[in-house]
Amino acid sequence: MRTVAPTISVVLPARDEGDRVGATVASALGAAAEPDGIEAVVVDDCSSADGRPRVAAGADRRRTRIIRSELHLGVGAARNLAARHAHGRLLFITDAHTRFSDGWDHEVRRLIAPSRILSVTVRDRASAWRGHGCRLVVPHMGTRWNTAPPATGTRAHVQIASSAGTVVQRALFERLGGYDEGMVHYGGFEPEFSVRAWRAGAEIVHTTTVEVTHRFKPEAECTAFLAAARTAMVHNCLRFGTAHLPESMILEMVRLHALEYPDHIREALVMLEQRSAWGRRAELARSLPHGFASFVRRFALLDQIGRPVPEV
């Protein structure tokens, strides 16, 4: 039987997701207009024995590769590893617990372009809520969901793509350098990648014609997860801001995190120094054609209390 080379690689980092991975792969292939053009590349990010990714035998398993990491890589490095193993021209980067809308692959091929990243609509599995990409919160360096789609008749640009639904040509992903592996475990990867993409001259366009339905963690599970990940998340926000913000805003960013997370700020600052955040800032200033000021101007960016963000 002739094997069709995939044109789209669905990238799935998975840590203790078990059967949810198989359900996501089945949805991606089952909802595709041309399933023979799809592959799934799963990174098992040091899951426990009971939580390792499980994909049903048959066509789903034949079109899935699982790469096992014995070290906990975190979201960014796991996605990068999956991308290095991908054969598709396009990467659809999502989570291990999503469902795909019918004909999603046809729409992705129709809408993608060499310097364009697609942000797809994310729907909550338990409600009718939808997210339409995200916007940046400065200088905290977090994000807020856009709960309404871009206005009809406008170029559907969004500041930040969703980590549950980002589509990019593999060549552009590689040119951008993938996700920042100086960040750790969880938090901030998609915002930093998105701002870096804008600074590199790419665009992020939102689409409502491709939708993934996402399993958001229940409140108790989310609270426990965030408590365990908090130091990493504070560090990642600080690294993100150090890499991109005007210098005049960096101290304010640190002050905000110190006030909000006094039990985590010291270790986060140590990690920031250990991981050469200022070196990363210098590297991006040398390699990217546009400064953060171009992002500020494009979106008339305001800080989190409504003041214009300085360009220097």
Side-chain angles (χ1 to χ4, degrees):
M1 182 175 65
R2 185 172 66 90
T3 301
V4 177
T7 57
I8 303 176
S9 298
V10 178
V11 168
L12 299 169
R15 180 172 169 84
D16 291 327
E17 295 284 357
D19 290 330
R20 292 180 189 138
V21 173
T24 297
V25 171
S27 175
L29 294 175
E34 300 176 41
D36 285 346
I38 312 299
E39 68 167 1
V41 185
V42 180
V43 169
D44 175 4
D45 190 9
C46 197
S47 298
S48 64
D50 291 340
R52 290 186 177 183
R54 293 185 287 274
V55 178
D60 291 3
R61 190 65 186 88
R62 288 195 300 273
R63 303 206 69 82
T64 303
R65 279 174 296 133
I66 299 176
I67 299 98
R68 167 76 177 174
S69 174
E70 298 299 335
L71 297 174
H72 180 21
L73 299 174
V75 172
R79 289 177 186 160
N80 290 347
L81 178 59
R84 289 195 293 273
H85 284 267
H87 295 152
R89 179 177 60 88
L90 308 179
L91 305 177
F92 193 119
I93 300 163
T94 189
D95 291 343
H97 36 254
T98 54
R99 302 291 182 271
F100 290 68
S101 57
D102 288 341
W104 65 270
D105 55 325
H106 178 271
E107 283 298 283
V108 161
R109 294 187 186 98
R110 182 178 72 85
L111 295 170
I112 201 68
S115 291
R116 176 180 298 160
I117 296 169
L118 293 181
S119 165
V120 313
T121 300
V122 176
R123 179 174 181 170
D124 178 18
R125 189 179 302 179
S127 71
W129 179 93
R130 286 175 169 82
H132 300 278
C134 298
R135 60 191 184 278
L136 187 62
V137 179
V138 175
H140 188 278
M141 305 313 284
T143 58
R144 295 286 184 271
W145 285 99
N146 300 319
T147 55
T152 302
T154 65
R155 190 75 173 272
H157 284 156
V158 292
Q159 297 175 18
I160 309 296
S162 166
S163 61
T166 295
V167 187
V168 58
Q169 289 192 354
R170 184 155 54 94
L172 176 58
F173 185 85
E174 292 169 353
R175 178 166 68 83
L176 293 172
Y179 292 94
D180 180 8
E181 295 192 15
M183 292 183 167
V184 291
H185 298 325
Y186 178 83
F189 289 96
E190 202 67 40
E192 194 283 328
F193 177 79
S194 295
V195 170
R196 184 157 32 95
W198 281 111
R199 289 184 58 184
E203 63 175 357
I204 303 175
V205 173
H206 183 69
T207 176
T208 58
T209 62
V210 181
E211 185 172 279
V212 295
T213 303
H214 185 273
R215 175 192 178 269
F216 288 93
K217 290 179 173 65
E219 184 176 356
E221 184 181 342
C222 186
T223 298
F225 176 83
L226 292 177
R230 183 60 68 190
T231 300
M233 294 174 69
V234 172
H235 163 267
N236 290 355
C237 286
L238 297 180
R239 180 177 172 88
F240 178 19
T242 300
H244 296 281
L245 280 179
E247 286 193 28
S248 60
M249 299 193 78
I250 292 176
L251 184 59
E252 176 66 8
M253 172 188 67
V254 174
R255 186 184 73 83
L256 287 172
H257 281 277
L259 289 172
E260 189 169 0
Y261 304 112
D263 296 335
H264 301 273
I265 188 66
R266 184 183 298 274
E267 185 179 349
L269 287 170
V270 170
M271 293 167 64
L272 195 71
E273 181 66 24
Q274 290 173 339
R275 292 172 173 269
S276 304
W278 287 96
R280 175 66 169 173
R281 179 186 181 88
E283 173 195 342
L284 296 182
R286 289 192 303 269
S287 62
L288 297 176
H290 307 289
F292 186 72
S294 65
F295 183 83
V296 172
R297 289 191 296 268
R298 177 179 290 275
F299 293 104
L301 196 65
L302 303 176
D303 73 9
Q304 57 205 69
I305 62 172
R307 300 172 300 187
V309 173
E311 294 188 10
V312 295

